[in-house]
């Protein structure tokens, strides 16, 4: 096994005794990665031996890796979905887990257009909490003095529903923020937020954001770090400030809360927190009324040391905009997690975004790795301690909550080791073509949306002969752009602007529920745009690709583009532009 000597040294020195304990825990887990993994698997199999799922594969009392690997199949969501559906419908027998399924976590990954439901059990909250408790001790190694101020984090709860059998179904962070683990967390000087719980827990996203921003402004000199879960969320907060600073400044000037904030818990909290501060209101108005918002974050929050947001994976597209608004503050990506399971953390969080590696904590679940090398047909899964530096793998997990050898869909590349625990660069999620926020649209979903929208063109004797797309993040929020090359048989009766506008909405209606929720409830995606290009444009695109070495026989139209010269070529051939005028349909009710 390769051991990266630079990273194999113990972490330290810690900032306080609590941190020392957390760092010792990381050392212990990563030094014994393989043994911990063996123990985790044995624990999961022993306690769940009598579940319907495991009994089917006749493991008996065996809890060793070899038997497990020889008998239990590697699966995707669709394989386990019938079992999940039974639990959702109210079957309380031990189907997947010996411990009762306490709720479902709704993943941003979808199946048949709907969010995947991930089973979870009560004790998983402790495991998630444990991972969270390791983040600040690591950060304190790199950034001193974080106990001398606060963090301005934009955190939100989202809508939740109940399954037909009565179990809650909600996003993992909503579940966490509503838990006592979060709500009654003990005071920790290294982890003080400007946002009150009342604002974080307010289901109305406007009132929640408004209050969190207001509190962040009031405490502006104390703010040492600014964050959101994903980069897109932090940019949305900046956009919110752009749109709402006059009212925020008015509230600060008068020391009273806008009448748009009606949530009683927030109003009660804010009567204590808000005092008239005309000087601060004047400063805010002066900064925000300028046209130039470059470096606005450090102007308003001058003591910010870093931005705490995920900018790995699809979120990397936001790095330039974050740099613009923050004047190039460090971007810290601290953890790697999902609804299925929390995976691990970045032990060097102040590194450059392109160098971020996550160390998977071997106590969180049992991890296996499916080789994902171009041209390789190997289907033999590799254990956590046996992955090789430089190679790419798909992550496969076995969780305490009843997922066995489940393919998460993330592709990771091994960059090195901390002790005997490997560290991974997040390469990409499989099959994601377009993503703005938590939405993930794959090629077949885009194809289906194009097909549905192009039905509106039939009466005009028009068809879509070629298309491609890209996620335009130059607007806040970002939006999907679809390039269409049309073939119109009767130019006297070609589709009007109005028809093409309806095509935009029809495409949005066809996209998965996470996309539609982002559009309707979260406002984190803007209206979809169709850009019609001149006939012959896609042939030019092919010529361009061939001139750069593509094989003429193997050339396929890319269904998503992000290479600047190609986008410039497409944009230079645009003949008309159309945006969705309405919102697609979305309700929090599950249809199944
Ligand atoms: P969800 O189940 O909706 O919470 O989404 C989990 C997925 O988000 C993961 O499987 C990854 O694809 C992605 N993700 C989570 N954390 C990170 C990260 N730090 N960097 C890149 N992608 C991430």
């Amino acid at each position: 096994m390769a051991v990266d000597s630079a990273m194999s040294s113990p972490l330290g020195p810690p900032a306080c005794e609590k941190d020392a304990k957390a760092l010792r825990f990381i050392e212990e887990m990563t030094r014994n990665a393989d043994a911990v993994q063996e123990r985790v698997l044995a624990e999961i199999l022993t306690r769940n031996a009598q579940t319907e799922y495991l009994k089917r594969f006749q493991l008996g009392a065996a809890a060793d890796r070899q038997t497990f690997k020889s008998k239990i199949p590697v699966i995707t969501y669709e394989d386990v979905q019938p079992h999940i559906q039974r639990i959702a419908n109210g079957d309380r027998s031990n189907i997947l887990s010996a411990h009762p399924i306490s709720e479902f976590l709704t993943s941003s990954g979808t199946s048949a257009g709907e969010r995947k439901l991930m089973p979870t059990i009560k004790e998983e909250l402790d495991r998630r909490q444990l991972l969270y408790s390791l983040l600040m001790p690591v950060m304190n190694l790199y950034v001193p003095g974080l106990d001398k101020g606060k963090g301005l984090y934009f955190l939100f709860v989202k809508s939740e529903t109940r399954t037909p059998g009565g179990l809650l179904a909600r996003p993992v962070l909503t579940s966490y923020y509503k838990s006592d683990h979060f709500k009654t967390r003990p005071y920790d000087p290294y982890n003080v937020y400007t946002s009150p719980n009342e604002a974080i827990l307010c289901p109305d996203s406007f009132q929640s954001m408004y209050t969190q921003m207001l509190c962040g402004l009031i405490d502006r000199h104390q703010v040492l770090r600014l964050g959101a879960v994903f980069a897109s969320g932090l940019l949305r907060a900046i956009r919110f400030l752009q749109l709402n600073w006059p009212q925020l400044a008015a509230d600060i000037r008068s020391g009273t809360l806008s009448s748009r904030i009606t949530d009683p818990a927030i109003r009660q909290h804010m009567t204590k927190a808000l005092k008239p501060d005309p000087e601060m209101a004047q400063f805010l108005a002066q900064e925000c009324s300028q046209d130039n918002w470059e470096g606005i974050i450090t102007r308003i929050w001058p003591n910010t040391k870093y931005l705490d947001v995920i900018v790995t994976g699809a979120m990397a597209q936001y790095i330039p905009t974050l740099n613009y608004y923050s004047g190039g503050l460090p971007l810290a990506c601290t953890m790697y997690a999902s609804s299925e399971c929390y995976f691990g953390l970045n032990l060097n969080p102040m590194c450059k975004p392109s160098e971020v590696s996550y160390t998977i904590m071997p106590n969180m679940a049992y991890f296996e790795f499916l080789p994902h090398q171009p041209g390789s047909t190997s289907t033999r899964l590799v254990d956590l301690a046996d992955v090789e530096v430089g190679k790419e793998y798909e992550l496969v997990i076995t969780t305490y909550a009843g997922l066995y050898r489940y393919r998460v869909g993330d592709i990771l590349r091994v960059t090195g080791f901390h002790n005997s625990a490997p560290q991974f660069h997040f390469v990409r999620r499989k099959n994601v073509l377009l993503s703005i926020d938590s939405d993930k649209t794959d090629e077949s979903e885009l194809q289906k949306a194009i097909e549905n929208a192009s039905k509106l063109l039939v009466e005009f004797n028009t068809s879509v002969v070629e298309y491609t797309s890209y996620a335009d993040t130059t607007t806040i929020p970002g939006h999907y752009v679809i390039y269409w090359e049309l073939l119109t048989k009767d130019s006297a009766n070609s589709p009007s602007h109005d028809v093409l506008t309806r095509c935009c909405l029809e495409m949005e209606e066809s996209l998965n529920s996470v996309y539609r929720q982002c559009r309707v409830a979260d406002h984190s995606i803007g209206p979809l745009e169709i850009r019609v290009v001149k006939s012959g444009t896609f042939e030019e695109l092919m010529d361009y690709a061939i001139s750069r070495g593509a094989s003429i026989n193997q050339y396929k139209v890319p269904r998503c583009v992000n290479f600047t010269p190609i986008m410039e070529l497409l944009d230079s051939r645009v003949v008309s532009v159309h945006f969705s005028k309405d919102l697609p349909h979305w309700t929090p009710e599950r249809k199944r």
Side-chain angles (χ1 to χ4, degrees):
M1 182 197 315
V3 174
D4 182 314
S5 58
M7 283 307 294
S8 61
S9 57
L11 297 163
C16 59
E17 188 39 45
K18 195 161 150 252
D19 284 13
K21 200 169 151 225
L23 299 178
R24 275 198 302 272
F25 178 77
I26 295 174
E27 284 304 290
E28 188 190 316
M29 288 296 121
T30 55
R31 284 214 171 105
N32 303 305
D34 198 46
V36 175
Q37 282 283 275
E38 191 165 18
R39 175 177 59 71
V40 165
L41 181 66
E43 250 171 47
I44 294 174
L45 295 183
T46 307
R47 74 148 74 153
N48 292 321
Q50 295 310 316
T51 57
E52 193 183 307
Y53 188 85
L54 285 183
K55 270 180 22 197
R56 223 175 78 202
F57 298 108
Q58 301 181 336
L59 277 178
D64 63 290
R65 290 193 235 209
Q66 213 185 347
T67 317
F68 173 72
K69 285 174 190 271
S70 65
K71 297 203 166 179
I72 307 293
V74 176
I75 56 163
T76 62
Y77 184 77
E78 282 63 36
D79 298 310
V80 76
Q81 206 259 346
H83 303 283
I84 287 178
Q85 196 59 60
R86 276 174 56 208
I87 301 169
N89 289 344
D91 190 333
R92 294 282 178 273
S93 61
N94 293 347
I95 298 175
L96 294 171
S97 165
H99 288 217
I101 301 300
S102 51
E103 61 182 306
F104 283 110
L105 302 176
T106 53
S107 164
S108 59
T110 55
S111 168
E114 294 291 328
R115 284 174 182 271
K116 292 176 184 167
L117 294 178
M118 296 303 169
T120 192
I121 56 177
K122 271 221 168 70
E123 67 172 47
E124 276 299 299
L125 261 173
D126 300 331
R127 236 168 249 118
R128 281 179 220 129
Q129 177 73 37
L130 176 67
L131 191 64
Y132 282 128
S133 75
L134 306 177
L135 304 181
M136 285 314 288
V138 171
M139 189 54 90
N140 291 336
L141 297 175
Y142 298 90
V143 186
L146 291 174
D147 55 336
K148 307 288 183 295
K150 299 185 181 182
L152 166 49
Y153 281 77
F154 295 95
L155 308 175
F156 300 93
V157 293
K158 293 195 181 177
S159 74
E160 51 190 45
T161 58
R162 286 199 183 266
T163 67
L167 281 173
L168 271 176
R170 54 188 179 179
V172 62
L173 290 174
T174 300
S175 166
Y176 178 66
Y177 299 144
K178 288 190 167 185
S179 73
D180 286 339
H181 287 71
F182 180 78
K183 284 195 295 193
T184 57
R185 60 197 183 276
Y187 175 79
D188 173 355
Y190 290 94
N191 230 345
V192 181
Y193 295 147
T194 55
S195 296
N197 284 0
E198 289 83 352
I200 295 170
L201 295 171
C202 174
D204 180 300
S205 61
F206 177 86
Q207 295 188 48
S208 175
M209 175 75 97
Y210 189 93
T211 313
Q212 296 194 51
M213 185 60 84
L214 187 56
C215 293
L217 291 169
I218 295 170
D219 280 345
R220 75 183 190 94
H221 286 292
Q222 292 181 59
V223 169
L224 302 182
R225 52 201 172 107
L226 240 95
V229 180
F230 290 118
S232 53
L234 187 54
L235 289 173
R236 224 163 51 247
I238 300 298
R239 180 78 190 137
F240 186 91
L241 182 61
Q242 263 171 352
L243 296 173
N244 292 286
W245 67 261
Q247 184 61 54
L248 288 157
D251 286 10
I252 293 170
R253 184 173 299 109
S254 64
T256 54
L257 190 59
S258 158
S259 59
R260 287 185 74 180
I261 309 304
T262 54
D263 185 287
I266 292 185
R267 290 207 72 91
Q268 196 184 355
H269 177 90
M270 293 309 287
T271 43
K272 281 177 266 152
L274 201 53
K275 306 269 177 307
D277 188 346
E279 212 175 298
M280 154 95 184
Q282 166 71 22
F283 166 81
L284 189 64
Q286 186 190 313
E287 289 299 332
C288 295
S289 58
Q290 292 178 26
D291 288 339
N292 182 2
W293 271 51
E294 188 169 358
I296 191 80
I297 291 179
T298 36
R299 282 191 265 148
I300 295 186
W301 294 282
N303 299 316
T304 315
K305 300 182 183 210
Y306 65 94
L307 304 183
D308 187 347
V309 279
I310 291 178
V311 286
T312 42
M315 289 292 151
Q317 60 193 340
Y318 295 106
I319 294 172
T321 321
L322 285 172
N323 286 340
Y324 175 82
Y325 287 123
S326 75
L329 279 175
L331 299 167
C333 294
T334 58
M335 71 188 284
Y336 170 42
S338 77
S339 316
E340 292 89 326
C341 170
Y342 278 24
F343 307 124
L345 74 171
N346 180 359
L347 296 180
N348 185 15
M350 297 302 275
C351 69
K352 282 197 270 177
S354 58
E355 287 165 10
V356 171
S357 287
Y358 299 101
T359 304
I360 288 189
M361 289 301 286
N363 60 309
M364 301 302 289
Y366 180 62
F367 299 101
E368 293 175 277
F369 297 85
L370 184 59
H372 188 83
Q373 293 299 110
S376 152
T377 51
S378 170
T379 52
R380 209 179 66 80
L381 272 65
V382 178
D383 276 325
L384 182 68
D386 298 332
V387 295
E388 292 176 52
V389 173
K391 292 206 170 151
E392 290 189 5
Y393 300 90
E394 181 182 341
L395 180 62
V396 176
I397 55 171
T398 296
T399 67
Y400 283 91
L403 295 173
Y404 304 94
R405 309 196 90 191
Y406 175 88
R407 292 171 74 159
V408 174
D410 289 348
I411 307 295
L412 310 174
R413 184 170 55 248
V414 186
T415 54
F417 280 77
H418 178 75
N419 296 321
S420 60
Q423 305 187 295
F424 296 92
H425 171 71
F426 182 92
V427 178
R428 64 190 168 87
R429 195 174 168 98
K430 261 179 23 188
N431 302 331
V432 175
L433 199 66
L434 290 165
S435 174
I436 293 286
D437 188 40
S438 54
D439 56 304
K440 300 169 175 69
T441 297
D442 70 22
E443 202 163 323
S444 62
E445 289 170 320
L446 181 64
Q447 168 75 26
K448 186 89 204 121
I450 304 269
E451 279 167 22
N452 287 347
S454 51
K455 284 181 193 147
L456 300 179
L457 304 177
V458 172
E459 63 177 293
F460 303 96
N461 249 325
T462 297
S463 56
V464 179
V465 283
E466 275 306 354
Y467 69 89
T468 189
S469 66
Y470 90 98
D472 183 348
T473 52
T474 56
T475 57
I476 303 178
H479 69 288
Y480 288 11
V481 173
I482 318 293
Y483 292 95
W484 270 9
E485 184 170 322
L486 299 177
L487 179 66
T488 304
K489 301 233 172 74
D490 172 10
S491 56
N493 180 32
S494 59
S496 63
H497 172 65
D498 190 44
V499 171
L500 288 159
T501 300
R502 278 193 285 125
C503 288
C504 295
L505 182 61
E506 189 57 34
M507 284 198 66
E508 296 199 295
E509 293 284 12
S510 309
L511 293 171
N512 67 43
S513 73
V514 178
Y515 174 91
R516 285 178 284 114
Q517 181 173 2
C518 286
R519 276 283 280 134
V520 177
D522 305 345
H523 309 291
S524 55
I525 303 182
L528 182 142
E529 177 182 0
I530 290 178
R531 294 184 191 164
V532 178
V533 292
K534 261 200 336 226
S535 111
T537 302
F538 279 80
E539 224 173 292
E540 285 187 66
L541 209 68
M542 178 171 80
D543 292 343
Y544 180 80
I546 289 164
S547 75
R548 288 177 50 93
S551 144
I552 196 158
N553 293 321
Q554 289 170 333
Y555 176 79
K556 287 189 208 71
V557 176
R559 292 307 178 202
C560 181
V561 291
N562 51 19
F563 184 52
T564 311
I566 295 215
M567 280 146 69
E568 280 170 4
L569 191 154
L570 285 164
D571 281 332
S572 68
R573 304 294 187 271
V574 169
V575 289
S576 64
V577 170
H578 317 271
F579 284 93
S580 207
K581 271 216 193 88
D582 295 304
L583 289 172
H585 158 271
W586 177 80
T587 80
E589 299 305 324
R590 295 184 62 75
K591 282 179 247 102
R592 282 186 256 152

